[in-house]
Amino acid sequence: MSQLNTANAPFLRTLAPLLRGLERRLRYWHDLRLLYPVSAIQRAELEGLTDDLHRKAEALDVDQPLLVVMLMGGTGVGKSSLMNALAGAAIAPASFERPTTRDPVVYFHQSIEPERLDPALRLCRLVKHDRDALRQKIIVDTPDVDSNDLTNREKLVSVLPVADVVLYVGSQEKYHDQLGWELFKDHRQRSAFAFILNKWDRCVQTGPSGVRPDADLLKDLKNEGFEKPRLFRTTAQAWIDAAKANKSQPDQLPDGEQFQELRDWLEVGLTRLEIEAVKARGVGQLFDQLMRSLNGIRPPDLTAEAEKVRLEWKSTLGDASGMASEVLVGTLDPRRSDIENYFNLRGQDRFRGLMAAYLKLTSLRYSWRAFRPTLSVRTTSQKPEDDFELATFARGCARRAGERSLDQRNQALVNTLLVEANQVGFPLSILNDRTIQASRVNWDERWMQGVVESLNDVERELSNPQGSRAIVRQAVRLISNVLPEGALIASIFLLLWRFFLVEDFTPSLFHVFLPLFVTFGVLVLCHVLVMIVFPLRWPAIREQFQDLLKVRLNEEYSRIYLPIPGELAMGVLSERTTVDEIIRELKESSEWLTARESAAKVDELYGR
Amino acid sequence: MNETKAHREQLAQLAADYDWLEEYCRQHPDLGRHAGQLRLAAALTRNVVGGSLEQRPDTPLHIAVVGGAGSGKSTVANFLVGSVVAEANPQAGYTRHPIAFTASPLSSWPSYLGFLGPLRRLDENQPSNLDEDVYQVHPVTMPQTDDPLADDVIWDCPDMTTWASTGYVSRLIEISALADVIVYVASDERYNDEVPTQFLQMLVQAGKAVVVVLTKMREADAPSLVEHFKNEVLSKIHNTGTIPPIPIVAMPSLTEAERADPAQAGARYRVQLLNQILVLCPSAHDARKRTLQNAIQYLESSLEQLLDVAKTDLTDLETWKTAVENGRKVFEDRYRKEYLSGESFRRLDRTRHQLLELLEPPGSAQYIGRAFSFIRLPYTLGRDFLFRSIYQSEASHLPEQTVLQNALASWLEQLQAESLRRTNTIGIWKSINQAFDSGLKQQSQERFQVQSRTFELMQGDELDRAGRALIDQLEANTSLLNFLRYGKIALDAVAIITVIALTWIPSWYHLLLIPVAVAISHIMAECVVWWRVDRIRASARTKRIEQLSAQISDPLAKWFEEWPTHGGSPIERMQIVLRRVPENLKALSAAIRSPKTV
């Protein structure tokens, strides 16, 4: 026996750091800002269990672990009487007034420093004794579970997790009252349970029918999985009366009274071996509960769903960008001349000399538009000398398109995305906030950028063509830059030649203006050529522009929305890994514990 | 006769509605606390109000013995009867169904429909731990024929404290509702327990006369325990004043002999107990009247509780309606912005031309008109050119149907997303969500199709009618029309003459002024016509939105809003119940209070 004891003592103590390690991990988990929603109830349960881990670690990190035995039951069943009978003195108040005990009474050996008690017990009424048989045990009398004073129940529930062994005390009337029974069921996974049927004298009065309360209680317990529970039938009051009369035991006891056995069990039966077994078992139960509760909050693996959502969203966003580009181009339609003009101005840079001057002259016809009422595109304060500012223009269009329909469509788009994600099995609770947040970017700015860049792209593409078209264009450009001046010089030369060298030539007014006419004709011809080769008309570029815009908007949409499900899934997955790691650690610890569990006879204190 | 039948129907309906509410509360975890009170309401309706409507005689009075498990209810029942009739044994919670003891002839036993609701009367004797919805009636003989309770029925009821009692507490409530007097038994262990005290509170609220019997204490402790009970428990029971003060009888732990012979050996306790009951019920008629009035008062005062039960659902319904309403606004807004703002109603241009043509004179005068229009040609051409270069077509827009379809789809998706966001709660949102999974979208699309067909037809008609009306109005007013026609020609002629007269003798370039002068009258006419047609256009726009509201969005929104309250959903039943219970209760209480029945 003593050998076993020494072999076991470090074993319990080695559990303490293990429990602390687990506690740390769990606290870390609590502090995380979780993506996967955990209900308040689950969170509170897990926090309670973490507190239990802490408590157990503290309790085990000593040379001689203390066993906390707690009396639990309804008011008037005789918890305090039992306590007094066990103590052999009136240490707990007992009276006919209900409820009697309002604060827990802690009965412990004088050798134990009060600081060693669990914090929850330190604030209770402390009563010391000098009975060596109870050296390692702390007996706690608790307030009732069922009276009208609800604070009593709260106090009981707050100290109950400290118990290693709960003595469920019932009387003839209350042995299976609902409130006590529910509390027993709540706590049976957390501590060992033994049962006391007090006021046994009232139970043995037989009636014409019905079963004896102890048999009834045993049947109830069997249904709860306690095949052979430890049940003591007691009459505490008789023992108190005997002690008052200085007798070692009452004169008359009803048949089957077992108070003596209860006392013996507490004093002698619960040896160090049993205490350690109960402690180890308590830790094992805590592990089991933690595992159950962690399995309940274990986030799912959403990577597959996230991929599905991504595919689904991709096509939706494609449609959405098509729609948006259509709306934007639709807003540009009435402003086609502005765009054409813009291109024209840009195009003039390609030409020199007469052709450039001519083009500038022709584009004057656009400038009168500066005076007509327009969209609020041209803000007067902004560069009045710059007739057409592309960014301002595009911003105006984007704002107008936004006001007209794009803003509402974006709202609708978020809903569409969320509904689609839900349909492929991605939980909305995770996705909702992120998606809505993502949708709150400045869309006007993005559309403006899209319009500006797409216009520039179209223009760039036009000015840098490939293959034969490039040659043709080059040729046209060359011709346009050279031919008008050539024509002017040639016709003037011709005129001068005829005037000086050819006889009887008198120049009329017509002859004088002829070089101008010819040059003008050439310019017009070149202009026609330019118009044909450089398609700067809006209808010609509209489609290309819309396609480019669509691609650009699609990129923008994809950049904003597409990564969301994947990122969230990864986040949830990492949460899942964290939980899995804790579970794995718990499992290992619990296996280790089972392998070392001693052969003490404590099974009867636990149900299935 | 017909009236009685109607009342019976109302009564049955009222009880059924209470039953439904009770069941509803049981299914909703946070409403469980209401279940007991609703059961009490149903039982009061059946047994007290129903009994009164059925002209039940004043006797027998019903005395129900209630209390926590093992507190000695069966023993107290034996003392009331005066002999050992109820099974008293130490097993807590042994009695599982109510058992009646009566000395009055069984032929007077009430047997109308609905009496004791779901409880079935057992024909033969069974042990009292039979756990079924039944009751037994045991004939007994009282110690004396003129015993105070000889005409009464004494009910030994199950407990409400053991874990098994959740299964049978409804039987206890049923009998408590029937009772005219409640004998509340509390032992020295139980008297300050929460569950029995709450039950007592409920019965006091329901206006039941109560006698408290405190049992099992030591004889010496009895007076102080009674005092303590009065201060600790009774003082906290809220008595609205409809019942007499609650007397307390102490019955300390009994000897074997007292237990075995309540009438003789236990006489001192029995007499005390019977006296208190007699004080509460000086006459059967008054006692019954009190039971009835208090029951009705309780039912009326508990109407607020119904709203409490329905609160979550009603709030959810409100939220849903707000969501639908928001969706409707967005729907109409989208139509206005995406379609209507770009729509210029080209049909009205035709009206404009027709109006201008109408102003040209008929008959031989038309040649003059044509001549003038020819002179005006430079103006017309210049105007068209200017117009074409200034005029900017509004941004191109999608066809009306497409816009509406898109807006509807968005509306539906907004509702679905909203319901998905809230679906973790039970109730309406869950059922809405399920509906979205099972074709709510399709149904609404179909409804939309039907509605939009009429809407589409209306547009063309409306515009044509408005334009036609303008033309007809002018055509009908012949004098005005002629005045305008010839006035215009006259104005043109005057303009030409004025030009020639002022520039006499005119040179060729003076003649260039003539087309300008002739244009003036035409410009005036055009401006007026333009203005009129524009007004039609503006009103067409507003009308169109109104039509959309009336034809599509209003009916759809209404349909959405009412959707959760249709098709046999719990919320539909809830609304019916909320409407029906006060109505029926009012009718019944009026019927009972009218002197004819009383």
Side-chain angles (χ1 to χ4, degrees):
Chain A
M1 184 70 107
S2 65
Q3 230 180 356
L4 262 175
N5 278 354
T6 43
N8 271 332
F11 153 66
L12 270 185
R13 222 176 161 159
T14 47
L15 273 175
L18 188 84
L19 296 184
R20 290 214 177 91
L22 276 169
E23 186 204 338
R24 252 196 314 278
R25 297 200 75 142
L26 279 166
R27 297 244 182 253
Y28 169 72
W29 162 261
H30 289 308
D31 293 341
L32 283 179
R33 271 197 62 209
L34 296 178
L35 287 172
Y36 186 69
V38 175
S39 76
I41 295 172
Q42 287 170 318
R43 189 173 271 269
E45 187 190 327
L46 208 58
E47 262 164 27
L49 290 172
T50 316
D51 289 345
D52 282 0
L53 268 179
H54 178 78
R55 186 175 285 139
K56 287 243 149 78
E58 293 295 312
L60 289 178
D61 202 5
V62 288
D63 284 337
Q64 286 200 326
L66 298 168
L67 190 76
V68 179
V69 181
M70 209 172 270
L71 296 155
M72 176 194 105
T75 178
V77 297
K79 296 182 298 295
S80 299
S81 300
L82 271 167
M83 183 84 163
N84 290 339
L86 285 170
I91 57 162
S95 122
F96 67 83
E97 291 193 356
R98 311 268 165 260
T100 324
T101 308
R102 299 200 178 259
D103 286 304
V105 178
V106 183
Y107 187 62
F108 62 107
H109 193 263
Q110 57 187 17
S111 67
I112 302 169
E113 293 297 318
E115 288 75 49
R116 266 193 67 191
L117 296 176
D118 189 279
L121 296 180
R122 278 180 220 158
L123 297 172
C124 307
R125 248 185 75 189
L126 305 180
V127 181
K128 291 190 179 184
H129 62 77
D130 56 357
R131 294 163 64 188
D132 284 342
L134 293 175
R135 185 181 271 273
Q136 277 195 62
K137 290 139 207 167
I138 300 169
I139 301 175
V140 184
D141 180 25
T142 60
D144 65 89
V145 59
D146 60 357
S147 79
N148 280 315
D149 193 343
L150 297 182
T151 49
N152 278 2
R153 199 173 309 162
E154 282 162 24
K155 284 179 195 158
L156 168 63
V157 171
S158 72
V159 293
L160 210 51
V162 182
D164 294 305
V165 180
V166 174
L167 293 178
Y168 175 98
V169 186
S171 66
Q172 177 261 323
E173 291 183 32
K174 294 191 169 177
Y175 61 87
H176 56 191
D177 262 15
Q178 192 175 8
L179 290 170
W181 199 253
E182 304 262 289
L183 199 60
F184 153 61
K185 289 209 291 197
D186 279 353
H187 273 268
R188 52 166 299 188
Q189 302 297 345
R190 290 198 182 190
S191 41
F193 267 86
F195 303 87
I196 296 174
L197 195 49
N198 195 31
K199 300 193 182 174
W200 175 242
D201 50 335
R202 289 189 184 182
C203 300
V204 286
Q205 298 169 349
T206 48
S209 55
V211 292
R212 228 167 50 174
D214 55 340
D216 201 19
L217 178 59
L218 286 173
K219 200 184 86 198
D220 286 341
L221 288 171
K222 196 171 177 181
N223 290 337
E224 285 297 326
F226 281 79
E227 287 292 339
K228 274 188 181 166
R230 207 171 244 285
L231 172 65
F232 300 97
R233 301 154 181 88
T234 62
T235 320
Q237 193 57 45
W239 289 82
I240 294 174
D241 292 343
K244 268 188 200 153
N246 276 327
K247 290 178 194 161
S248 66
Q249 82 173 58
D251 300 331
Q252 268 202 327
L253 281 174
D255 279 350
E257 211 276 349
Q258 292 170 302
F259 180 76
Q260 186 67 50
E261 282 169 48
L262 170 66
R263 192 157 63 188
D264 290 348
W265 180 68
L266 283 174
E267 290 180 356
V268 192
L270 288 173
T271 63
R272 173 156 188 168
L273 189 67
E274 266 83 30
I275 292 175
E276 274 159 7
V278 167
K279 287 274 178 192
R281 191 80 180 246
V283 174
Q285 278 185 326
L286 184 58
F287 284 171
D288 289 349
Q289 258 197 307
L290 266 171
M291 265 190 266
R292 255 198 303 278
S293 125
L294 280 173
N295 274 321
I297 59 155
R298 187 166 170 254
D301 182 359
L302 289 172
T303 23
E305 280 82 1
E307 188 52 34
K308 273 191 229 159
V309 173
R310 219 180 65 85
L311 288 177
E312 198 77 24
W313 281 15
K314 212 170 175 177
S315 72
T316 311
L317 291 176
D319 294 348
S321 48
M323 198 78 104
S325 63
E326 214 174 294
V327 172
L328 278 169
V329 172
T331 329
L332 288 180
D333 271 341
R335 317 273 300 146
R336 46 186 287 184
S337 51
D338 283 317
I339 297 164
E340 282 169 12
N341 181 31
Y342 172 71
F343 281 122
N344 222 340
L345 286 171
R346 295 284 298 261
Q348 284 167 21
D349 300 344
R350 281 191 289 261
F351 301 99
R352 294 179 284 107
L354 277 177
M355 188 64 195
Y358 166 78
L359 283 176
K360 213 157 253 159
L361 211 67
T362 51
S363 65
L364 270 183
R365 69 188 163 107
Y366 293 113
S367 53
W368 64 269
R369 286 174 191 273
F371 303 105
R372 72 187 170 173
T374 52
L375 316 168
S376 57
V377 174
R378 251 167 260 150
T379 46
T380 44
S381 63
Q382 225 169 14
K383 295 190 208 158
E385 76 278 5
D386 193 352
D387 182 72
F388 184 79
E389 228 264 289
L390 186 67
T392 330
F393 167 74
R395 184 172 290 123
C397 285
R399 191 178 305 134
R400 182 156 168 76
E403 275 165 15
R404 227 182 125 207
S405 70
L406 286 184
D407 287 349
Q408 277 168 351
R409 284 188 191 203
N410 265 339
Q411 295 275 320
L413 178 65
V414 175
N415 288 330
T416 315
L417 293 177
L418 288 175
V419 168
E420 274 178 358
N422 183 71
Q423 268 157 6
V424 293
F426 201 98
L428 195 76
S429 48
I430 304 177
L431 206 56
N432 187 44
D433 293 350
R434 257 308 279 288
T435 316
I436 288 177
Q437 203 185 354
S439 73
R440 290 204 185 117
V441 294
N442 187 352
W443 285 108
D444 276 0
E445 202 61 29
R446 272 153 218 267
W447 285 319
M448 182 208 92
Q449 294 260 310
V451 169
V452 170
E453 280 165 25
S454 307
L455 276 177
N456 282 336
D457 280 356
V458 173
E459 205 254 341
R460 202 171 304 126
E461 212 162 292
L462 285 177
S463 44
N464 302 312
Q466 307 289 314
S468 58
R469 287 182 75 183
I471 300 166
V472 172
R473 284 191 182 189
Q474 211 58 35
V476 169
R477 218 163 106 181
L478 198 70
I479 291 168
S480 311
N481 280 337
V482 174
L483 206 60
E485 280 92 340
L488 184 65
I489 293 166
S491 50
I492 290 175
F493 186 77
L494 192 70
L495 197 65
L496 289 176
W497 177 72
R498 281 183 68 182
F499 182 67
F500 289 113
L501 300 180
V502 181
E503 282 134 57
D504 75 10
F505 174 72
T506 34
S508 64
L509 201 62
F510 170 78
H511 287 114
V512 173
F513 283 103
L514 190 64
L516 291 182
F517 288 143
V518 169
T519 314
F520 186 72
V522 171
L523 278 173
V524 170
L525 274 175
C526 287
H527 193 187
V528 170
L529 258 179
V530 165
M531 294 240 278
I532 290 167
V533 180
F534 296 86
L536 289 175
R537 311 291 301 168
W538 173 245
I541 60 164
R542 189 183 190 275
E543 204 153 311
Q544 196 186 0
F545 170 68
Q546 190 178 337
D547 285 346
L548 275 172
L549 188 61
K550 187 185 162 183
V551 170
R552 216 164 265 281
L553 291 180
N554 198 14
E555 272 170 19
E556 203 66 33
Y557 274 133
S558 305
R559 208 164 52 72
I560 288 174
Y561 289 115
L562 277 191
I564 294 177
E567 276 169 30
L568 288 174
M570 285 311 288
V572 171
L573 192 66
S574 91
E575 280 171 18
R576 181 186 163 98
T577 331
T578 320
V579 174
D580 278 349
E581 270 169 27
I582 303 178
I583 291 178
R584 205 194 55 225
E585 207 167 303
L586 273 172
K587 212 174 259 168
E588 280 169 11
S589 309
S590 135
E591 274 162 15
W592 183 77
L593 201 61
T594 338
R596 277 159 190 78
E597 223 157 59
S598 62
K601 292 207 182 317
V602 290
D603 276 350
E604 60 198 6
L605 300 179
Y606 304 90
R608 264 187 276 97
Chain B
M1 219 50 235
N2 266 339
E3 218 169 60
T4 323
K5 206 178 152 199
H7 287 150
R8 267 187 198 145
E9 263 169 30
Q10 285 165 340
L11 187 90
Q13 211 170 46
L14 187 60
D17 285 346
Y18 279 129
D19 282 341
W20 181 84
L21 277 170
E22 184 202 351
E23 191 53 39
Y24 177 85
C25 286
R26 284 194 200 289
Q27 284 163 3
H28 287 67
D30 45 342
L31 293 176
R33 67 207 149 85
H34 294 292
Q37 292 180 359
L38 287 164
R39 175 63 188 233
L40 183 67
L44 285 173
T45 310
R46 281 192 286 260
N47 303 325
V48 180
V49 182
S52 159
L53 281 178
E54 299 294 337
Q55 317 280 339
R56 180 161 60 115
D58 289 335
T59 50
L61 287 180
H62 292 268
I63 301 171
V65 184
V66 305
S71 56
K73 291 180 297 298
S74 299
T75 310
V76 170
N78 287 341
F79 269 73
L80 289 171
V81 173
S83 54
V84 177
V85 288
E87 298 170 80
N89 66 52
Q91 188 186 345
Y94 176 75
T95 306
R96 299 268 166 120
H97 65 260
I99 297 161
F101 303 101
T102 179
S104 60
L106 283 184
S107 55
S108 70
W109 189 257
S111 59
Y112 59 88
L113 198 70
F115 176 70
L116 290 186
L119 301 191
R120 177 172 54 86
R121 182 173 161 186
L122 279 179
D123 294 330
E124 73 277 18
N125 286 1
Q126 292 272 357
S128 49
N129 65 346
L130 179 70
D131 198 357
E132 283 174 27
D133 276 341
V134 292
Y135 68 92
Q136 301 186 41
V137 184
H138 291 183
V140 292
T141 4
M142 292 276 174
Q144 290 139 11
T145 41
D146 60 343
D147 202 272
L149 304 185
D151 290 337
D152 298 343
V153 182
I154 291 134
W155 289 92
D156 185 16
C157 294
D159 69 285
M160 75 299 268
T161 57
T162 63
W163 61 263
S165 69
T166 36
Y168 54 74
V169 75
S170 55
R171 296 168 207 160
L172 169 65
I173 295 176
E174 190 75 36
I175 300 300
S176 306
L178 169 72
D180 301 291
V181 177
I182 300 282
V183 177
Y184 175 79
V185 183
S187 68
D188 62 339
E189 211 174 296
R190 283 241 182 251
Y191 70 85
N192 202 5
D193 277 11
E194 189 200 0
V195 177
T197 312
Q198 280 181 350
F199 193 79
L200 176 63
Q201 170 73 68
M202 184 170 86
L203 294 182
V204 169
Q205 257 176 351
K208 297 291 179 189
V210 178
V211 181
V212 171
V213 180
L214 293 178
T215 60
K216 294 191 185 178
M217 78 294 265
R218 284 187 306 194
E219 183 112 41
D221 291 336
S224 48
L225 186 66
V226 167
E227 200 55 33
H228 185 66
F229 180 80
K230 208 177 266 172
N231 294 336
E232 280 294 306
V233 184
L234 272 195
S235 65
K236 286 168 193 155
I237 299 276
H238 182 63
N239 186 347
T240 46
T242 51
I243 58 165
I246 299 171
I248 305 171
V249 176
M251 196 186 270
S253 55
L254 301 168
T255 62
E256 204 60 48
E258 287 167 333
R259 220 186 279 274
D261 186 9
Q264 300 298 323
R268 56 177 175 147
Y269 302 125
R270 179 165 196 256
V271 169
Q272 215 184 338
L273 184 56
L274 296 192
N275 274 342
Q276 293 297 355
I277 293 177
L278 285 179
V279 168
L280 288 179
C281 313
S283 81
H285 178 73
D286 290 346
R288 180 54 53 79
K289 201 172 153 194
R290 176 180 61 211
T291 308
L292 178 63
Q293 280 174 347
N294 287 356
I296 287 178
Q297 201 176 339
Y298 172 75
L299 290 176
E300 282 170 348
S301 69
S302 68
L303 283 178
E304 279 171 33
Q305 195 197 344
L306 298 184
L307 287 177
D308 217 33
V309 168
K311 201 160 73 187
T312 350
D313 273 350
L314 293 182
T315 342
D316 280 354
L317 191 63
E318 268 329 292
T319 322
W320 164 252
K321 281 183 179 169
T322 324
V324 170
E325 206 47 41
N326 286 341
R328 192 181 79 117
K329 276 194 200 110
V330 174
F331 177 80
E332 286 175 4
D333 213 34
R334 273 186 75 158
Y335 175 75
R336 191 182 297 124
K337 283 179 177 167
E338 289 186 22
Y339 172 73
L340 217 51
S341 70
E343 171 65 31
S344 48
F345 302 108
R346 288 268 154 246
R347 271 169 204 257
L348 287 176
D349 290 353
R350 212 170 58 205
T351 312
R352 209 176 64 217
H353 286 299
Q354 282 171 348
L355 268 176
L356 281 174
E357 270 165 29
L358 202 63
L359 287 181
E360 294 304 317
S364 52
Q366 65 176 299
Y367 299 110
I368 308 171
R370 274 186 199 164
F372 281 144
S373 355
F374 181 74
I375 299 172
R376 235 181 265 129
L377 210 56
Y379 158 74
T380 325
L381 289 175
R383 180 199 64 189
D384 285 351
F385 175 75
L386 210 65
F387 183 79
R388 223 171 280 133
S389 50
I390 291 181
Y391 181 75
Q392 285 190 338
S393 67
E394 268 300 323
S396 60
H397 58 75
L398 296 166
E400 190 175 30
Q401 268 300 308
T402 322
V403 170
L404 282 176
Q405 288 276 9
N406 286 343
L408 178 72
S410 300
W411 191 0
L412 284 169
E413 250 148 18
Q414 172 239 336
L415 291 178
Q416 194 177 2
E418 187 68 24
S419 75
L420 282 172
R421 274 184 213 120
R422 294 174 186 270
T423 194
N424 47 351
T425 54
I426 47 167
I428 294 183
W429 294 106
K430 201 178 159 199
S431 60
I432 289 173
N433 232 329
Q434 283 164 351
F436 268 114
D437 287 341
S438 56
L440 180 66
K441 264 187 187 171
Q442 212 152 9
Q443 282 175 43
S444 33
Q445 296 276 13
E446 279 161 19
R447 282 188 156 262
F448 166 76
Q449 295 296 351
V450 174
Q451 306 279 15
S452 70
R453 226 161 281 151
T454 27
F455 175 68
E456 240 175 301
L457 289 178
M458 281 172 99
Q459 167 162 37
D461 293 355
E462 189 63 39
L463 280 178
D464 283 345
R465 208 178 309 126
R468 198 66 249 162
L470 194 61
I471 293 167
D472 286 351
Q473 198 188 337
L474 197 58
E475 271 179 345
N477 197 341
T478 341
S479 51
L480 178 70
L481 185 63
N482 285 335
F483 172 73
L484 288 174
R485 278 172 179 168
Y486 296 111
K488 194 172 168 237
I489 288 178
L491 211 63
D492 286 346
V494 168
I496 293 170
I497 292 165
T498 316
V499 166
I500 294 172
L502 283 180
T503 58
W504 194 259
I505 302 160
S507 61
W508 64 272
Y509 56 86
H510 284 141
L511 290 181
L512 284 180
L513 282 174
I514 290 176
V516 177
V518 173
I520 290 172
S521 69
H522 197 67
I523 289 172
M524 276 158 60
E526 271 181 343
C527 281
V528 171
V529 167
W530 193 285
W531 172 67
R532 286 305 298 264
V533 171
D534 246 19
R535 266 190 23 188
I536 296 179
R537 190 172 283 143
S539 78
R541 261 194 201 124
T542 20
K543 209 162 241 164
R544 196 66 183 149
I545 276 286
E546 278 163 19
Q547 280 170 358
L548 181 80
S549 273
Q551 290 300 317
I552 298 184
S553 54
D554 267 355
L556 266 180
K558 211 162 164 352
W559 186 71
F560 283 140
E561 278 174 15
E562 283 174 0
W563 186 87
T565 61
H566 277 85
S569 67
I571 183 84
E572 179 191 18
R573 181 74 201 261
M574 176 66 87
Q575 288 203 322
I576 293 173
V577 167
L578 284 183
R579 179 175 48 75
R580 218 157 53 179
V581 166
E583 281 173 12
N584 283 337
L585 191 59
K586 206 169 160 193
L588 286 172
S589 68
I592 281 171
R593 280 178 185 146
S594 73
K596 200 179 75 188
T597 1
V598 171

